[in-house]
Amino acid sequence: MSTTFELTPREFARFIWRQLTSMRTALLLLLLLVIVSIPGSVLPQQNTDPFSVRQWIEDSPTIGNILLKLGFFNVFSSIWFSAVYLLLLISLVGCILPRSIKHYQALRTQPPVAPANFERLNIYENLESKIDADLLLTEVAQKLKQRNWRVRLDLDQKFVAAEKGYFREIGNLIFHLAVVGIILAVGIGVLFSYRGQMLVREGTAVASVSTQFSSLSFGTAVSEDDLPAVTIGLNKFTAEFERGLIQRGAAREFRADVSVVSASGNQDAVIEVNKPLKVDGSTWYLVGHGYAPRVEVRNAANEVVFADSVILLPRDGSFSSEGAIKIPNGENGIGFITAFLPTAEFSGEPISIFPSPDNPLLLLSAWQGDLGLDAGVPQSVFTLDVSTLERVGVGSIAPGETWELPDGLGSIKFVAVERFVTFDVARSPGGIYALGFSILALFGLVTGLYVRSRRIWIKQSAVNTFQIGALSRNDQPGLDNDMKMLKALCSAVEGKLK
Amino acid sequence: MNAAVISNWTLLSATIALTLSTFIAVIKLTGSSHPDRFAKISLSLTGLATAFLVVAVFARGIAAGRAPWGNMYEYAITGTLAVLVVYLILAIKNDLSGIAVFVLMPLLLSLGLAQTVLYIPVADLVPALESGWLVIHVSAAIIAGGGFSLGFAFAVGQLLASRKNSKLATRLPSSEQLELLSYRVTAWGFAVWTFSVLAGAIWAENAWGRFWGWDPKETWALITWIAYAAYLHARVTVGWRGGKAAAIAIVGYTSYLFNFFGVNIFFDGLHSYGGL
Ligand code: HEM
């Protein structure tokens, strides 16, 4: 069975293309992009908050795993999100290129002839004048040219047509092309970017080699070899918090004093929250900080077996921090689950009430046994797996104090309060191009929105009678000014020729 | 008397002036024997409220020793001011008295919310906000919001005015007139919003090392931007002009508001310093 509606593949392709590049499709795709972006802000995302994603899936594993498979925890790199914006990109290119060509051609042709019926224009008016039509039209055309109108003078049909504001369309085209540019710059830039995070304790230094990062990811086109050889030592970290009653405890100042060793030379520098450090193509941002109490652990024979600062992870706004200290020694290993309270207060459970170390206290729970570190199974350094351990006891110590473990197992001394900071180390080369295109887009947008695109005509309709009229695109205001201008021109010409 | 106290008192005065203005605009809309006089009085009172609000916002800035854009209370009063200023500029050339109620009522609500729910005393900024970009990025966002808010009020008016057999519709300006006004302020807001998002991206690169990171606030800023881009396209698409375009403008405004309130309240991101 065949119908008259059957299409050849070629016709079909053309039909699809025309559909895809139509304004209605662009509109629907834009609305669709809004809809598919929403889950990306409602659900936690793997690239910004992997911890919450894991939590989410643990809390509701069935739905969680389905959502995970469908890419809902990675919306902005999911297939369906990419599909929508790629379609939009194609639609955009397919829409803009033909329009650019058409506009280019329009710029090289004359303004259109005067309409047969001026009543269809936005504004029109009749004008009486006893002056010879050819003279008047020629003079008016001349004057309009001087005012940068594109002018068409037709003495056979007795009219002048003039056009102005073609930068509107150019601006619009620049805007859309720049949007294409932004999308490409972002997409390609990702290939050449890397981003990692490191924790640095006061008084120590780190080098930008992959083993020193706590997390590190590369774009497809770069690898470890592209990391610059930079070593950064954290000399001192200063943190100030609000002490007044309003917003008490809110952050007020963070400042890291660092020494930098790099291929381009050595320097001392300061890194603050809004003031990153740029070295050899990489940028170092201060993104977080916390406490790393310095402790000294002795064994039963009173020999020092551990003396270092220990990074603890902040758990709340008052910087109650948690972590673990592990001293493996076969069957006789010792481990501590550790909590640190910068300003300890006892009202029931001990809690911290202020982020600065006003009344620092280290809470410890000691465990003995095989810590399992030799088994080669990777463990988090911040938690202690106590399933195979035996509990020794709990204690709490302030700086300078020592806790003697029960049964003569040894002791632990809280030597001093020290801090660590978290640096993000990144290179994102696409950004600067995207920025350039964005500025271009903004320029094009303003031009496209605010340049008034309009046409005016003056035509002899009868002896001693002229019609003048004007037409604007997109109902833009200001046509009456053009009409006034045209009338003023006519009377000026009249005055001159009298 | 210190600046903080001046700010609070002038804000109260602005609210009173705006309440009277709204009241009179309602009388005008529901039919009075001297509509023109009522329109004029209402507009003058709106001007007075704006003047008070200018003082309130400035005094707040002086009291805090910085631009008054550090928390939601401050966003709300500055945002209200932005809407009022755009409104008054527009009112110079256009007769807006028929639609004034739709603008004034939400503003009154905003000032009321600011003084009751959102109020917090003057305080310093968190370090993440201490940057010249705060002034540029946030002020642009607030000014754009002024355009979007008016565009929204006009779009709602447009939908009401286009209803047939409605008594209200006969008292409002024509739906075509309202659509054009709505389009103009919205397009203007869109341009400023574009600038604000751009400045925000530069600031983010400065502060966090990336122009864009799909933080909830950033995501919703983009959603708002795309929604309004869709609105601009709808207005030039056959079959979408008029009511449907107005509906998209309302969607855009909803997402703008959600970015302002919802994201601060529901999400935990780098931008969570609303002060709630
Ligand atoms: C990422 C996708 C897009 C974005 C963000 C976007 C954004 C915009 C914006 C903001 C405007 C108004 C600004 C101005 O007039 O200069 C506009 C206008 C316009 N867009 Fe797009 N656009 C997109 C895709 C498209 C596509 C695919 C088409 C083709 C169907 C298209 C066709 C147009 C046209 C014809 C106008 C002019 C409307 C007028 O006469 O005012 N756009 N676009």
Short mmCIF file of all heavy atoms in Angstrom, two decimals, chain A residues 312-336:
data_model
loop_
_atom_site.label_atom_id
_atom_site.label_comp_id
_atom_site.label_asym_id
_atom_site.label_seq_id
_atom_site.Cartn_x
_atom_site.Cartn_y
_atom_site.Cartn_z
N LEU A 312 42.91 15.68 61.01
CA LEU A 312 41.57 15.26 61.41
C LEU A 312 40.56 16.00 60.53
O LEU A 312 40.75 17.17 60.20
CB LEU A 312 41.32 15.59 62.88
CG LEU A 312 42.33 15.01 63.88
CD1 LEU A 312 41.94 15.38 65.30
CD2 LEU A 312 42.39 13.48 63.75
N LEU A 313 39.47 15.31 60.18
CA LEU A 313 38.49 15.94 59.29
C LEU A 313 37.46 16.73 60.09
O LEU A 313 36.86 16.19 61.01
CB LEU A 313 37.77 14.88 58.46
CG LEU A 313 38.63 14.18 57.42
CD1 LEU A 313 37.78 13.23 56.59
CD2 LEU A 313 39.33 15.18 56.52
N PRO A 314 37.24 17.99 59.72
CA PRO A 314 36.22 18.79 60.41
C PRO A 314 34.83 18.19 60.18
O PRO A 314 34.53 17.73 59.08
CB PRO A 314 36.30 20.15 59.73
CG PRO A 314 37.53 20.15 58.92
CD PRO A 314 37.91 18.73 58.65
N ARG A 315 34.02 18.17 61.24
CA ARG A 315 32.69 17.58 61.12
C ARG A 315 31.57 18.60 61.19
O ARG A 315 30.46 18.32 60.81
CB ARG A 315 32.49 16.54 62.24
CG ARG A 315 33.20 15.24 62.00
CD ARG A 315 32.59 14.48 60.83
NE ARG A 315 33.39 13.30 60.50
CZ ARG A 315 33.85 13.05 59.28
NH1 ARG A 315 33.60 13.88 58.29
NH2 ARG A 315 34.56 11.97 59.06
N ASP A 316 31.84 19.77 61.74
CA ASP A 316 30.77 20.77 61.81
C ASP A 316 31.38 22.17 61.80
O ASP A 316 32.59 22.35 61.71
CB ASP A 316 29.92 20.55 63.08
CG ASP A 316 30.75 20.62 64.35
OD1 ASP A 316 31.73 21.40 64.38
OD2 ASP A 316 30.42 19.91 65.31
N GLY A 317 30.51 23.17 61.87
CA GLY A 317 30.93 24.55 61.77
C GLY A 317 31.83 25.00 62.91
O GLY A 317 32.57 25.97 62.80
N SER A 318 31.76 24.28 64.05
CA SER A 318 32.65 24.62 65.16
C SER A 318 33.93 23.80 65.12
O SER A 318 34.69 23.77 66.07
CB SER A 318 31.94 24.39 66.49
OG SER A 318 30.88 25.29 66.61
N PHE A 319 34.13 23.13 64.02
CA PHE A 319 35.36 22.37 63.78
C PHE A 319 35.62 21.25 64.78
O PHE A 319 36.77 20.97 65.11
CB PHE A 319 36.57 23.32 63.66
CG PHE A 319 36.66 23.90 62.28
CD1 PHE A 319 35.86 24.97 61.93
CD2 PHE A 319 37.51 23.36 61.33
CE1 PHE A 319 35.89 25.49 60.65
CE2 PHE A 319 37.55 23.88 60.05
CZ PHE A 319 36.74 24.95 59.71
N SER A 320 34.57 20.63 65.28
CA SER A 320 34.77 19.34 65.94
C SER A 320 35.33 18.44 64.84
O SER A 320 34.77 18.37 63.77
CB SER A 320 33.45 18.76 66.41
OG SER A 320 32.78 19.69 67.19
N SER A 321 36.46 17.79 65.13
CA SER A 321 37.14 17.06 64.06
C SER A 321 37.37 15.62 64.47
O SER A 321 37.50 15.32 65.66
CB SER A 321 38.48 17.72 63.75
OG SER A 321 38.30 19.10 63.53
N GLU A 322 37.42 14.75 63.48
CA GLU A 322 37.57 13.31 63.77
C GLU A 322 38.64 12.69 62.91
O GLU A 322 38.89 13.14 61.79
CB GLU A 322 36.26 12.58 63.49
CG GLU A 322 35.17 12.90 64.48
CD GLU A 322 33.83 12.34 64.04
OE1 GLU A 322 33.82 11.45 63.14
OE2 GLU A 322 32.82 12.80 64.58
N GLY A 323 39.24 11.62 63.43
CA GLY A 323 40.22 10.91 62.64
C GLY A 323 40.76 9.74 63.42
O GLY A 323 40.15 9.29 64.40
N ALA A 324 41.91 9.25 62.99
CA ALA A 324 42.47 8.06 63.64
C ALA A 324 44.00 8.16 63.68
O ALA A 324 44.61 8.83 62.83
CB ALA A 324 42.06 6.80 62.89
N ILE A 325 44.59 7.53 64.68
CA ILE A 325 46.05 7.40 64.75
C ILE A 325 46.35 5.92 64.77
O ILE A 325 45.75 5.17 65.55
CB ILE A 325 46.60 8.05 66.04
CG1 ILE A 325 46.15 9.52 66.12
CG2 ILE A 325 48.12 7.96 66.09
CD1 ILE A 325 46.40 10.16 67.47
N LYS A 326 47.24 5.47 63.91
CA LYS A 326 47.51 4.03 63.81
C LYS A 326 48.99 3.76 63.95
O LYS A 326 49.80 4.33 63.24
CB LYS A 326 47.01 3.50 62.46
CG LYS A 326 45.53 3.76 62.22
CD LYS A 326 45.12 3.26 60.86
CE LYS A 326 43.69 3.74 60.54
NZ LYS A 326 43.22 3.27 59.26
N ILE A 327 49.33 2.88 64.89
CA ILE A 327 50.72 2.48 65.05
C ILE A 327 50.79 0.96 64.95
O ILE A 327 50.63 0.24 65.94
CB ILE A 327 51.29 2.95 66.40
CG1 ILE A 327 51.19 4.48 66.46
CG2 ILE A 327 52.74 2.52 66.58
CD1 ILE A 327 50.56 4.99 67.69
N PRO A 328 50.97 0.44 63.73
CA PRO A 328 50.93 -1.01 63.53
C PRO A 328 52.16 -1.67 64.17
O PRO A 328 53.24 -1.09 64.19
CB PRO A 328 50.94 -1.15 62.02
CG PRO A 328 51.52 0.11 61.50
CD PRO A 328 51.26 1.18 62.51
N ASN A 329 51.92 -2.84 64.71
CA ASN A 329 53.04 -3.59 65.30
C ASN A 329 52.58 -5.03 65.44
O ASN A 329 52.48 -5.56 66.54
CB ASN A 329 53.41 -2.97 66.65
CG ASN A 329 54.59 -3.70 67.27
OD1 ASN A 329 55.32 -4.42 66.58
ND2 ASN A 329 54.78 -3.53 68.57
N GLY A 330 52.25 -5.65 64.30
CA GLY A 330 51.78 -7.03 64.32
C GLY A 330 50.57 -7.19 65.23
O GLY A 330 49.64 -6.40 65.17
N GLU A 331 50.63 -8.19 66.12
CA GLU A 331 49.53 -8.46 67.05
C GLU A 331 49.40 -7.37 68.10
O GLU A 331 48.38 -7.24 68.74
CB GLU A 331 49.77 -9.81 67.75
CG GLU A 331 49.50 -11.01 66.87
CD GLU A 331 48.02 -11.08 66.48
OE1 GLU A 331 47.18 -10.98 67.38
OE2 GLU A 331 47.75 -11.21 65.27
N ASN A 332 50.47 -6.60 68.28
CA ASN A 332 50.47 -5.62 69.36
C ASN A 332 50.32 -4.17 68.88
O ASN A 332 50.81 -3.25 69.50
CB ASN A 332 51.77 -5.73 70.17
CG ASN A 332 51.88 -7.10 70.82
OD1 ASN A 332 50.91 -7.59 71.37
ND2 ASN A 332 53.05 -7.71 70.69
N GLY A 333 49.66 -4.01 67.74
CA GLY A 333 49.45 -2.67 67.23
C GLY A 333 48.56 -1.87 68.17
O GLY A 333 47.77 -2.43 68.93
N ILE A 334 48.71 -0.55 68.09
CA ILE A 334 47.84 0.33 68.88
C ILE A 334 47.16 1.28 67.92
O ILE A 334 47.78 1.81 67.00
CB ILE A 334 48.67 1.18 69.88
CG1 ILE A 334 49.33 0.30 70.93
CG2 ILE A 334 47.80 2.25 70.53
CD1 ILE A 334 48.50 0.09 72.17
N GLY A 335 45.85 1.48 68.12
CA GLY A 335 45.14 2.44 67.30
C GLY A 335 44.29 3.35 68.18
O GLY A 335 43.82 2.94 69.24
N PHE A 336 44.15 4.59 67.74
CA PHE A 336 43.30 5.53 68.48
C PHE A 336 42.22 6.08 67.56
O PHE A 336 42.52 6.49 66.45
CB PHE A 336 44.12 6.72 69.00
CG PHE A 336 45.21 6.38 69.97
CD1 PHE A 336 46.50 6.12 69.51
CD2 PHE A 336 44.95 6.31 71.34
CE1 PHE A 336 47.51 5.82 70.40
CE2 PHE A 336 45.96 6.00 72.23
CZ PHE A 336 47.25 5.75 71.77
#
